Every structure is written in C-alpha cells, then in structure tokens.
Amino acid sequence: MNKAQIISAAEEYVKELLSGEGSGHDWWHILRVWNNAKHIAGYEQVDTFVVELAALLHDIGDHKFYNGDASVGPRMAREWLESQLVPEEIIAHVCSIIRDLSYKGAGTSSAMPTIEGQVVQDADRLDAIGAIGVARAFAYGGHKNREMYNPAITPVLHNSFEEYKSSTAPTLNHFYEKLLLLKDRMHTETAKKLAAQRHHFMEQFLEQFYAEWNGNR
Ligand code: ADP
Ligand code: NI
C-alpha cells in the first residue's frame, strides 16, 4: 500500500472505532484535529505522513480506558501500523507523538520534541478551545456527572497528572486549569493566531456566563 492508501485505511479504522463516542473523543473530534493538522502542516517543513497518521490515531486508546493506562493508545497504534507494514522508524515516531500528546495539568510541561508532534499537539489543542472547546468541556462534565459551576468552590490548579485526572471539580474549573492556558502553549505561529481568536471567544463566554449566573440583564 502507498502512503495515501494507508491514510485512508487509518481513517476507516478510526471512524469505525470511535463512532458514536459521547465523551469528547468521537470521530468528529478526530476529523477536526486531522483537518487542523493538515492546515498547520501546510505552513511548516514536516513529514505530513507522520503528522496525518498521528492526528488520526491519537485518541484510539482513550475511548475505553478513559481514566486509565496511557500506554494503551500507543500500543494499539503500533499494532495497527505494523499490520499495514509501515516502516519501523515511522511507527516509532507516530507512537512517541501519541504518548506525549495529552495535557497533564496546569503545573506540568508540554514537551514535544519534534515539529511533527508539535503540529499534532497544536491541532488537538485548538479543538479543546473556542466554541468547540466550550461544548466539549460541558459534554465531558455531563458525562462525568459534574456540576457546571459552583460559586462556593474556588478554582484549583493541579500540579500532577494524577491529581488533574482524578479531579471532580465543576466544569468551569477546567477553563482555569486547561482551556485558558492553551493559547500560550501553542508551538506554531499558525496555531498561535487561531488560538488567540478562540481564546478571546472563551473570555467573552465566561464573562457572559457569570453575568447571567448573577442575574444581570
Ligand atoms: P485531549 O484529547 O485534548 O488530550 P482529554 O482527554 O484531556 O483531551 O479531554 C477530552 C475533552 O474533554 C477535551 O476537550 C477536554 O478539554 C475535556 N475535558 C477533559 N477533562 C475535563 C474536565 N475535568 N472537565 C471538563 N472537560 C474536560
Ligand atoms: Ni484529542
């Protein structure tokens, strides 16, 4: 199979696996990230085969093991890529991107050593902010039975991945520990520009949310 055929096969594999997922990692998230990644990659010197494979396969381990083992995704990706006879060098690169991709809390770093990984991380993070980001946060919060907001609970920032992942704070807390921090953690100029606009929208959303909460007309 040539590269285009492998990308198409990856699309089919992921679509099948993640269709109808309700917690924020459905096929449509993957499609948006894939499109973001292709857009950003157009402005960078990158191996687009690696970028597209990593974008397509980045969340395949999460649908079942949401709170669990971070090695599941890279392992599933490796198995699938091996089944397609993708060269080992590319498999290793794609799997290391998938392993390093996810956000691990406000006080943790987002190290991503290669430009291909940076493009995919920016693409994934753009989908966590803006209008879609707001929608995904509340979808996730509902899925986990969280309150939307509780004025008696002061926002908390978690400094370790374990605390961050096990937090049961209301959904609005997630804006302070992740969504509002992402614009300053983008790697590429293209993503920085898109993030600035999406960030501004979230600030307006929060302003309006608090105004309505407090009964202002
Ligand atoms: P990613 O695929 O970006 O690494 P996650 O697996 O952390 O994302 O989360 C999937 C989606 O759910 C994202 O849009 C994220 O912002 C949102 N999300 C994750 N944790 C929370 C939370 N505690 N409260 C609200 N939304 C969350
Ligand atoms: Ni994702």
Side-chain angles (χ1 to χ4, degrees), residues 60 109 153 199 214:
I60 54 174
S109 88
I153 300 177
H199 183 88
N214 294 318

Side-chain angles (χ1 to χ4, degrees), residues 68 70 102-105 108 158-166:
S102 66
Y103 186 77
K104 303 194 172 55
T108 65
H158 299 100
N159 288 317
S160 79
F161 187 38
E162 288 66 36
E163 287 174 37
Y164 167 71
K165 267 294 170 191
S166 56

Side-chain angles (χ1 to χ4, degrees), residues 109-125:
S109 88
S110 311
M112 188 51 99
T114 67
I115 180 69
E116 284 79 7
Q118 293 176 1
V119 167
V120 179
Q121 191 168 54
D122 282 1
D124 190 31
R125 290 180 169 181

